[in-house]
Amino acid sequence: MKTAFLRFLLIFVCVFFAQIAKAQKISVAIQHTFGNELLVLGEEGFRSETDSTLQISELKYYISNISFYKKGTCIFAEPNSYRLLDVATCNPCTFEVTSPKKIKYDEMRFTLGIDSATNVSGAMGGDLDPTKGMYWTWQSGYINLKMEGKTKDNNKQSKEFQLHLGGYASPFLAAQSVRFQWKNNQEIPLIFDVKNLVEAMNSNSTWHIMSPNAKAVLFSKIAAESFKLGIK
Amino acid sequence: MKWVWFFYGGMFFVCASFVYLNETDWLLPKEFPKPEYDFAKNPISANKIELGRALFYDPILSIDNTISCASCHSQYSAFTHVDHNLSHGIQDRIGFRNSPALMNLAWQKSFMRDGAVNHLDMQALAPISNPDEMGEDIQHIVEKLRLSQIYSPLFENAFGDNVITGERVLKALSQFMLTLVSNNAKFDSVMRSQSVFTEKEHKGYAVFKKHCNACHTEPLFTNDAFVNNGLAMDPELKDYGRFRVTQNAQDSFKFRVPTLRNIEFSYPYMHDGRFKKLNQVINHYTSPKTNSTTLDSRLANPMQLTSEERVELKAFLLTLTDKHFLFDTRFSYPKHIFGVK
């Protein structure tokens, strides 16, 4: 009886460590820029040639549902995949996704924002905790991306802009899917260039988006398209 | 010998499964439909309810520590703000809607008069953050709670450690609010054949079923739908109802159908508390309505009631008063936590 138990324990331990050894950590780094310049938040930040008033004082957004694909088929979807990136604390922002076994992928996908199902699931913790300042209080729903600052073309005297992009219910579904072809098993280098969002504000004469609506969806699409691979 | 252990093991699992299945039974009356609230994501426990109850009655949730949930949701008026058409929050600021009565919340699909909030857990964020109500911020509340002597042991009892997060605050509040179940009015005991209506009440029930039950559907006395019941828009408040949430013109002037349970004590009535008395409510329904493209078609014509039917209908509505609920000390101010007020 004792011998059988010890054999079982040995096999269990071997299998356990074999599983751990097979696990793969995939690193992602997102660099935030304004055009070709590294984004620096606040007054002391970068100076745009065309707009000396321009500053970005806050940039926070959710990345969720990170998954990896091979030839169009999902081979790994990270469970409980929610991350709040706050550019005030990191630039580039790096994180790791752990797959329980080694995977050969050719595409990475994630959602910029929080999906509808999660939006109706009640109070949650970690990066989804409402204390993170990314949840609308007067009306349910996560703010997928928050960007605030100043820009000279803003018709307000203070020049302040506030983009709070969200919306999980039809017809204003703001969360966007983002995809990259990427095979190399080194760190995935991404760039999020906010210049497009700033230009969108000025060209749309829209410097405040504070609720789910058509503009929030439009700007969310622009934000999603502002991610690109940082291949040197 | 082996079979005895299998038997005991089996018995254990059978008993354990009953404990699990009955975990929320005491909260869910048999005669009510299936609840909307997902208890699996917030399993009920006595300690969490206790914590939620403390938070509900604690003005620490407001920026100047003067306004608690109970300030506008008082037990004796079925957890609404008796005698106030619009509630006042911090510094006597006035809001723009009447505070809804809180009961049977596990069966609601959405919250607030316009359904702006999609889950009970997130409802408290609205008054907490409203500058005319509590004027606070959940992050700051968490910081205040961390500094408070009272809450560390309450969180430890509820969650196993004294870590205080926004999620835990909201889930604890939900748990207390979920216990506010009202199903012991005279109406309920009649339905359970434990009691009988008077003749007036019985006739009133028939009037109710003919004219009111379509929206105020028993046993919850609401169908939880959004309806324009023909109230003229208040020119100062300019409240467009659910349109504010959906931006859909077809939702203009629609408000949630409130429960009629405890209606005797939850005056004043309607989304802006414009009616102080039940007679005024009945008069509204027996009068022509304000014309609107979104007016509910069932209310296009005034309700026809004889004067006897009015009396009978009122008598029936009073059978929805649940004194067990209104005076249940489990829902009252927790003196044992805060001391005598």
Side-chain angles (χ1 to χ4, degrees):
Chain A
M1 178 71 179
K2 193 176 168 186
T3 330
F5 175 73
L6 284 173
R7 276 193 198 137
F8 170 76
L9 189 62
L10 185 64
I11 294 168
F12 176 80
V13 166
C14 289
V15 169
F16 180 75
F17 280 106
Q19 290 300 318
I20 290 188
K22 279 168 74 180
Q24 180 180 0
K25 285 194 192 323
I26 303 164
S27 222
V28 180
I30 307 182
Q31 196 171 72
H32 303 86
T33 67
F34 181 87
N36 291 325
E37 283 184 72
L38 187 70
L39 184 65
V40 177
L41 297 189
E43 276 188 46
E44 317 271 298
F46 66 100
R47 284 278 165 257
S48 158
E49 280 168 12
T50 47
D51 177 3
S52 57
T53 311
L54 178 65
Q55 62 172 261
I56 314 286
S57 56
E58 187 168 3
L59 177 59
K60 284 160 79 166
Y61 58 94
Y62 279 109
I63 279 187
S64 65
N65 298 327
I66 294 177
S67 50
F68 294 88
Y69 284 69
K70 176 101 184 145
K71 293 184 187 165
T73 304
C74 182
I75 52 171
F76 171 61
E78 186 187 35
N80 292 321
S81 183
Y82 307 103
R83 287 180 180 77
L84 176 61
L85 303 191
D86 182 353
V87 181
T89 62
C90 60
N91 194 11
C93 298
T94 57
F95 55 86
E96 272 180 352
V97 179
T98 304
S99 160
K101 53 182 177 132
K102 273 200 170 11
I103 49 170
K104 269 192 153 43
Y105 54 90
D106 57 27
E107 188 181 328
M108 175 205 181
R109 294 184 194 179
F110 61 83
T111 301
L112 173 61
I114 302 294
D115 59 88
S116 296
T118 307
N119 265 285
V120 300
S121 297
M124 278 167 286
D127 279 357
L128 294 175
D129 196 297
T131 51
K132 300 294 181 184
M134 296 292 282
Y135 193 88
W136 274 310
T137 54
W138 53 277
Q139 178 177 301
S140 292
Y142 280 96
I143 299 168
N144 295 330
L145 182 144
K146 198 186 254 192
M147 188 165 92
E148 297 184 356
K150 291 185 185 184
T151 169
K152 83 165 174 11
D153 289 324
N154 190 340
N155 54 13
K156 256 181 92 174
Q157 204 181 13
S158 66
K159 302 296 171 193
E160 282 169 0
F161 70 82
Q162 288 171 300
L163 297 183
H164 295 186
L165 307 181
Y168 69 90
S170 181
F172 305 122
L173 297 161
Q176 302 292 321
S177 181
V178 182
R179 309 177 174 194
F180 294 102
Q181 306 294 319
W182 183 255
K183 273 189 201 175
N184 195 323
N185 282 334
Q186 301 296 315
E187 180 178 78
I188 303 176
L190 295 179
I191 293 177
F192 181 27
D193 180 359
V194 303
K195 193 172 188 186
N196 296 333
L197 276 173
V198 175
E199 283 174 355
M201 281 193 283
N202 295 333
S203 59
N204 282 279
S205 300
T206 297
W207 296 281
H208 288 90
I209 299 178
M210 306 290 273
S211 59
N213 54 40
K215 286 239 167 93
V217 176
L218 168 66
F219 276 64
S220 299
K221 290 190 163 104
I222 292 169
E225 285 155 14
S226 300
F227 281 90
K228 50 189 189 230
L229 276 171
I231 303 166
K232 299 251 183 325
Chain B
M1 187 60 180
K2 268 187 215 174
W3 292 110
V4 172
W5 286 111
F6 273 116
F7 175 72
Y8 280 126
M11 283 294 292
F12 173 79
F13 280 110
V14 167
C15 293
S17 70
F18 267 110
V19 168
Y20 178 76
L21 286 172
N22 287 346
E23 197 179 57
T24 48
D25 271 7
W26 63 282
L27 283 181
L28 308 177
K30 284 194 300 295
E31 61 270 23
F32 283 10
K34 202 163 157 285
E36 297 291 331
Y37 192 84
D38 183 358
F39 288 94
K41 292 210 169 85
N42 188 11
I44 296 290
S45 84
N47 289 333
K48 285 183 186 149
I49 292 169
E50 172 96 329
L51 169 58
R53 182 176 165 195
L55 290 166
F56 187 89
Y57 279 97
D58 196 339
I60 202 173
L61 262 51
S62 59
I63 187 78
D64 60 0
N65 301 322
T66 61
I67 302 289
S68 67
C69 306
S71 302
C72 301
H73 296 283
S74 154
Q75 181 177 9
Y76 310 111
S77 49
F79 290 96
T80 180
H81 204 169
V82 72
D83 232 12
H84 286 74
N85 56 340
L86 306 172
S87 292
H88 50 85
I90 55 168
Q91 298 167 11
D92 277 358
R93 294 176 193 172
I94 300 280
F96 91 125
R97 287 206 182 128
N98 180 260
S99 129
L102 304 183
M103 69 194 97
N104 302 334
L105 297 169
W107 290 270
Q108 272 184 228
K109 295 187 188 75
S110 62
F111 301 85
M112 312 291 275
R113 295 254 183 212
D114 55 11
V117 173
N118 66 19
H119 196 286
L120 180 60
D121 290 353
M122 310 314 259
Q123 191 279 330
L125 290 173
I128 279 169
S129 313
N130 189 317
D132 294 330
E133 298 183 49
M134 290 160 143
E136 247 299 7
D137 170 89
I138 185 71
Q139 171 62 38
H140 193 233
I141 286 172
V142 163
E143 287 163 20
K144 287 198 284 194
L145 294 173
R146 283 176 187 156
L147 295 172
S148 154
Q149 306 276 7
I150 300 174
Y151 283 97
S152 185
L154 288 176
F155 274 87
E156 179 112 35
N157 287 340
F159 292 101
D161 59 58
N162 62 1
V163 173
I164 302 179
T165 65
E167 181 193 14
R168 286 180 170 188
V169 167
L170 295 174
K171 282 185 159 159
L173 275 167
S174 279
Q175 293 222 4
F176 171 68
M177 289 193 282
L178 288 164
T179 64
L180 306 180
V181 174
S182 176
N183 72 319
N184 285 308
K186 180 171 181 181
F187 168 83
D188 300 295
S189 65
V190 170
M191 292 299 118
R192 293 194 283 258
S193 307
Q194 293 159 348
S195 170
V196 289
F197 284 134
T198 63
E199 195 188 329
K200 276 208 181 75
E201 289 164 356
H202 180 73
K203 287 182 174 167
Y205 185 34
V207 172
F208 178 84
K209 281 194 284 197
K210 185 175 173 194
H211 294 284
C212 319
N213 205 30
C215 292
H216 293 285
T217 318
E218 54 187 287
L220 294 165
F221 289 90
T222 168
N223 61 359
D224 213 28
F226 297 96
V227 171
N228 176 353
N229 70 342
L231 292 166
M233 183 180 78
D234 182 298
E236 273 184 38
L237 296 175
K238 290 195 170 59
D239 192 343
Y240 286 85
R242 189 148 171 79
F243 172 77
R244 202 171 78 122
V245 176
T246 64
Q247 304 296 305
N248 183 343
Q250 296 201 5
D251 286 331
S252 298
F253 306 117
K254 288 186 181 172
F255 296 89
R256 172 201 307 292
V257 174
T259 180
L260 298 184
R261 285 184 172 274
N262 296 299
I263 199 76
E264 182 181 0
F265 289 104
S266 62
Y267 56 88
Y269 309 111
M270 302 295 159
H271 64 274
D272 53 12
R274 63 180 67 185
F275 297 141
K276 288 191 168 59
K277 303 236 182 257
L278 273 178
N279 278 334
Q280 289 172 292
V281 175
I282 296 173
N283 284 346
H284 167 74
Y285 284 110
T286 57
S287 306
K289 308 293 176 302
T290 300
N291 210 1
S292 163
T293 51
T294 61
L295 174 67
D296 193 287
S297 56
R298 292 166 290 196
L299 299 172
N301 298 313
M303 193 162 76
Q304 301 294 323
L305 288 185
T306 64
S307 46
E308 288 93 14
E309 284 173 330
R310 279 171 174 269
V311 171
E312 287 153 5
L313 178 58
K314 256 187 81 174
F316 169 73
L317 290 174
L318 298 184
T319 70
L320 303 181
T321 300
D322 178 356
K323 291 242 162 84
H324 302 276
F325 174 74
L326 297 174
F327 296 104
D328 192 328
T329 52
R330 292 175 303 166
F331 310 146
S332 309
Y333 178 80
K335 291 188 196 124
H336 59 288
I337 297 175
F338 296 129
V340 177
K341 220 181 186 181

